[in-house]
Amino acid sequence: MARYREDENFGLVVRRIVLGGLIVLCLLLVAVWRIDNPRIERLRAQVVEAIVPRLEWALVPLTVMTRMAGDFQSYSRLYEQNQQLRRELQQMRSWREAAIQLEQENARLLELNNVRLDPELTFVTGTVLADSGTTFRRSVLLNLGSQDDVRDGLAAMDGIGLVGRIAGVGESTSRVLLLSDSASLVPVTVQPSGQRALLVGDNSVAPLLEFVENPDQVRPGDRVVSSGDDGLFPSGLLVGQVALDRDGRFRVRLAADYGRLEYLRVLRAQPRAPVAPPIPVGEAGAAQPDGEAAPADTTADADAVPEVPPGD
Amino acid sequence: MIDGGFLQVWSYRALFLLLAGGLALVALLPINTAEPGIPRPDLLLCLVAAWTLRRPDFAPLWLIAVAGLVLDFLLFRPPGSWTLALILAAETLNRQAQRDADPTFAVEMVQVAAAVAVAHVVNRVLLVLVGAPRPSAGAVVIEILFTLLAYPLVAVVSVLILRVRRPDPQSGFGF
């Protein structure tokens, strides 16, 4: 009996030690994550790299199956959809006409202005592997990584609009922080008026438009494009349309189809400002304006072009 | 006999890891990328609670820590934050299980509710302390509610299908 008790005590002590050790380990990890964030995020990228591609065999069929089930449900609304599509098609025809006219006009104006479009802007297309967002963080994992020359900060788009930026790159996977994540901040331009503003994610489907220079000139329905002021994104990428929410704040209805993020394009801007060498801070600060000078030029040009048509 | 028990315990531990992996897989599916709206119940927490209350040896703390850490890394949470919450929830449940070896299901629900609350409070305090971004309080409350709604289901599946039951043979089903 005494022996049994001893064993039990021993077990209890071991359990306490394990518990204490694990608590300390977790606290340490969180502390290190806070203090030396890049190192832990690199570790995270490696963990993701090690696990997610291996799950692809399960992830892909499951995703496809659920999506097919969703599509199947929509068969029941076939008639409605048909009607809706017809209406949309009609609208599109008129838009197409308008687009062709604008394209010709644009070509003429570009020639007049002698604008050189950035020829070094290439893109690489990847598949969305996984939705790594929890309720509170919005991000997806992409099957592109450093081996595809993907780097932190690059812009990711679906066919139409901006989706987010790369944050966290592994060898063959990378994470896209969506515009709706609360950590996402993107400088944008509201189109006809040319107002600068900041697109701030707040975990809702439509991010907030904040710090508008002159809110009177912004109207719901205005186009929102990236301004390129951060030196990360090229300017002029379509983001979405301005909308007013119930509290009277400006939000942006995103152009990208967030419901179906399947293929994303990562825009690889030319490496014009090579990543600043980790030497003197003062020098790096001085070097930055040089790096930003190039995008700033294109921004000015891009802004100048759309401003002409309204007067036309 | 010892061999049989040994084999059983380790196969259940493997099953635990497998289930945690399955939950991670479901969480990672890129289906609902648009709607951040409704929080999902934390099924891993339910699983940990159901197993810890019945057979703590099937889900020992270190195993919970391993599963929690991998999920933290994959779901882009501050690594260790939710793991710590899981471990402390498991520890509270384990103490309660030692005090009351065969509770009714209503008592068990209260115990689990307390543990879930402990997990979320620990997590929130930690996030506040390090100044990390944290979810809104309303969303957390909804998540707690969903987790508690999902718990009976997880418990029933654990007992009836996975046969994780209290070792005590007198208590019938071992619920």
Side-chain angles (χ1 to χ4, degrees), chain A residues 15-16 18-19 22-23 25-27 29-30 33-34 40 43-44 47-48 51-52 55 58-59 62-63 66-67 128-141 175 178 203-205 258-261, chain B residues 25 27-40 56 61-62 65 69-70 72-81 83-84 87-88 90-91 94-95 98 126 130-133 135-136 139-140 143:
Chain A
R15 194 177 163 87
R16 290 246 166 95
V18 169
L19 177 69
L22 288 174
I23 291 176
L25 177 79
C26 288
L27 288 177
L29 252 175
V30 175
W33 172 80
R34 198 60 203 163
I40 296 287
L43 177 68
R44 192 202 291 278
V47 172
V48 169
I51 293 177
V52 173
L55 295 180
L59 278 170
L62 272 175
T63 311
T66 359
R67 282 201 175 131
V128 172
L129 281 183
D131 165 18
S132 64
T134 51
T135 327
F136 316 118
R137 309 306 309 268
R138 313 301 308 156
S139 60
V140 293
L141 287 174
R175 173 193 177 213
L178 301 184
N203 266 333
S204 71
V205 188
Y258 265 47
R260 292 213 152 186
L261 297 179
Chain B
L25 200 71
L28 281 173
L29 283 183
I31 292 163
N32 200 3
T33 39
E35 281 299 322
I38 308 161
R40 287 175 254 189
L61 286 179
W62 59 267
L69 272 181
V70 171
D72 274 356
F73 272 113
L74 281 184
L75 296 181
F76 291 91
R77 292 191 281 238
S81 61
T83 311
L84 183 67
I87 289 174
L88 289 181
E91 181 62 18
N94 192 36
R95 293 208 172 162
Q98 276 167 4
L126 188 64
V130 299
S136 70
V140 171
E143 187 177 322

Side-chain angles (χ1 to χ4, degrees), chain A residues 82-93:
Chain A
N82 213 340
Q83 295 281 319
Q84 196 184 341
L85 285 175
R86 262 171 228 266
R87 269 198 303 277
E88 273 177 23
L89 194 66
Q90 228 163 20
Q91 283 176 351
M92 288 305 150
R93 284 217 182 97

Side-chain angles (χ1 to χ4, degrees), chain A:
Chain A
M1 207 60 201
R3 172 134 190 225
Y4 172 69
R5 242 214 189 131
E6 230 167 61
D7 272 4
E8 203 173 44
N9 270 336
F10 181 69
L12 207 66
V13 169
V14 168
R15 194 177 163 87
R16 290 246 166 95
I17 290 174
V18 169
L19 177 69
L22 288 174
I23 291 176
V24 170
L25 177 79
C26 288
L27 288 177
L28 259 179
L29 252 175
V30 175
V32 174
W33 172 80
R34 198 60 203 163
I35 296 162
D36 191 2
N37 197 290
R39 189 182 300 265
I40 296 287
E41 290 303 332
R42 259 201 313 277
L43 177 68
R44 192 202 291 278
Q46 280 162 6
V47 172
V48 169
E49 177 79 29
I51 293 177
V52 173
R54 276 183 208 160
L55 295 180
E56 214 174 337
W57 59 268
L59 278 170
V60 172
L62 272 175
T63 311
V64 170
M65 260 158 60
T66 359
R67 282 201 175 131
M68 269 163 66
D71 285 345
F72 191 72
Q73 279 170 6
S74 70
Y75 275 133
S76 54
R77 299 191 298 113
L78 211 58
Y79 178 71
E80 271 171 64
Q81 271 187 340
N82 213 340
Q83 295 281 319
Q84 196 184 341
L85 285 175
R86 262 171 228 266
R87 269 198 303 277
E88 273 177 23
L89 194 66
Q90 228 163 20
Q91 283 176 351
M92 288 305 150
R93 284 217 182 97
S94 63
W95 276 113
R96 182 165 163 267
E97 204 53 44
I100 290 172
Q101 283 174 13
L102 279 175
E103 192 187 0
Q104 288 166 353
E105 189 180 327
N106 205 5
R108 276 204 309 278
L109 292 169
L110 283 180
E111 206 163 340
L112 284 176
N113 270 348
N114 229 343
V115 175
R116 255 183 323 116
L117 288 178
D118 197 346
E120 313 246 4
L121 201 67
T122 59
F123 64 81
V124 49
T125 306
T127 317
V128 172
L129 281 183
D131 165 18
S132 64
T134 51
T135 327
F136 316 118
R137 309 306 309 268
R138 313 301 308 156
S139 60
V140 293
L141 287 174
L142 215 55
N143 68 344
L144 300 171
S146 52
Q147 67 190 21
D148 307 291
D149 206 16
V150 167
R151 280 169 293 124
D152 272 335
L154 295 185
M157 310 184 66
D158 73 351
I160 310 165
L162 192 62
V163 167
R165 79 180 146 86
I166 303 285
V169 182
E171 177 109 337
S172 65
T173 52
S174 57
R175 173 193 177 213
V176 179
L177 191 75
L178 301 184
L179 292 177
S180 50
D181 186 278
S182 53
S184 163
L185 283 176
V186 178
V188 293
T189 310
V190 182
Q191 231 359 307
S193 55
Q195 294 286 311
R196 298 286 159 97
L198 215 50
L199 189 69
V200 183
D202 64 345
N203 266 333
S204 71
V205 188
L208 281 167
L209 196 65
E210 287 192 347
F211 306 110
V212 185
E213 282 170 313
N214 188 354
D216 297 340
Q217 293 189 25
V218 175
R219 248 161 275 140
D222 285 359
R223 265 163 51 94
V224 177
V225 298
S226 67
S227 71
D229 286 344
D230 50 1
L232 279 177
F233 287 179
S235 61
L237 302 180
L238 178 62
V239 176
Q241 278 190 330
V242 177
L244 265 179
D245 73 357
R246 248 175 277 154
D247 305 333
R249 288 175 302 181
F250 287 121
R251 289 181 175 274
V252 174
R253 203 173 289 133
L254 297 170
D257 184 4
Y258 265 47
R260 292 213 152 186
L261 297 179
E262 288 179 54
Y263 303 100
L264 293 185
R265 261 170 203 193
V266 177
L267 299 182
R268 291 187 294 201
Q270 77 192 92
R272 66 163 71 81
V275 178
I279 11 175
V281 179
E283 218 169 279
Q288 224 170 13
D290 282 351
E292 271 174 304
D297 279 350
T298 48
T299 311
D301 290 338
D303 280 352
V305 177
E307 263 168 23
V308 184
D312 202 28

Side-chain angles (χ1 to χ4, degrees), chain B residues 50-56 108 151 155 159 164-167 174-175:
Chain B
W51 287 36
T52 305
L53 280 175
R54 292 183 176 76
R55 292 296 299 263
E108 183 178 329
Y151 178 75
V159 171
V164 178
R165 295 174 183 175
R166 293 202 168 83
F175 245 122

